[in-house]
């Protein structure tokens, strides 16, 4: 489905609860948003069918699973034709260390969000993969020293 879905206040409260408490049962969600269990289930199913709820998952602590180094890598391509962009995108999709890739405006073309074990693994990723990728002209890396705020949920209050 394309386009922006329309929400009422109950939908927004339901989405906020699901973002914060994704493992809650339907009965728990219904109680939190003051709906009957059947009405809550119908709304959740509609939001899933419309693609508003894109999926469910768990947030893992990177350090607790051994991914102690986080970096943001800005990439500039040599060329900006369709083939060069497609080749780079295909490479990025194959790299497990890259958890997000965004095309940008400005002097750099892409921003990669990278998680690796340590500096040695980052060096391997950079030298063996990124710098060897077809069409990469320039790379600029910044390491995360401390995370002040991390993505937890989308700002639904802006939609009210």
């Amino acid at each position: 489905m394309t386009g922006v879905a329309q929400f009422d206040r109950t939908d927004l409260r339901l989405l906020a609860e699901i973002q914060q408490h994704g493992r809650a049962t339907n009965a728990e969600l219904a109680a939190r948003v003051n709906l009957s269990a059947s009405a809550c289930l119908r709304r959740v199913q509609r939001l899933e069918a419309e693609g508003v709820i894109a999926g469910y998952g768990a947030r893992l602590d990177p350090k607790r699973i051994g991914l102690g180094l986080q970096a943001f890598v800005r990439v500039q391509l040599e060329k900006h034709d369709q083939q060069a962009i497609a080749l780079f995108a295909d490479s990025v999709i194959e790299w497990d260390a890259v958890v997000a890739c965004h095309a940008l405006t400005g002097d750099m073309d892409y921003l990669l969000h990278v998680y690796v074990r340590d500096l040695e693994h980052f060096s391997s990723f950079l030298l063996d993969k990124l710098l060897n990728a077809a069409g990469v002209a320039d790379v600029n890396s910044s390491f995360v020293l401390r995370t002040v705020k991390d993505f937890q949920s989308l700002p639904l209050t802006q939609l009210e």
Side-chain angles (χ1 to χ4, degrees), residues 76-142:
Q76 186 174 33
L77 299 181
E78 292 172 352
K79 298 179 189 175
H80 297 91
D81 58 66
Q82 197 170 21
Q83 182 181 6
I85 291 169
L87 280 172
F88 181 73
D90 288 345
S91 294
V92 168
I93 289 168
E94 297 297 318
W95 299 332
D96 290 340
V98 178
V99 297
C101 174
H102 305 278
L104 304 175
T105 61
D107 59 344
M108 295 302 253
D109 298 315
Y110 290 92
L111 178 66
L112 307 181
H113 189 181
V114 176
Y115 277 95
V116 290
R117 288 183 188 165
D118 51 29
L119 191 55
E120 181 180 342
H121 285 91
F122 181 80
S123 177
S124 176
F125 165 75
L126 185 69
L127 297 173
D128 299 341
K129 294 183 179 177
L130 185 55
L131 291 176
N132 284 326
V136 173
D138 190 25
V139 171
N140 185 303
S141 303
S142 296

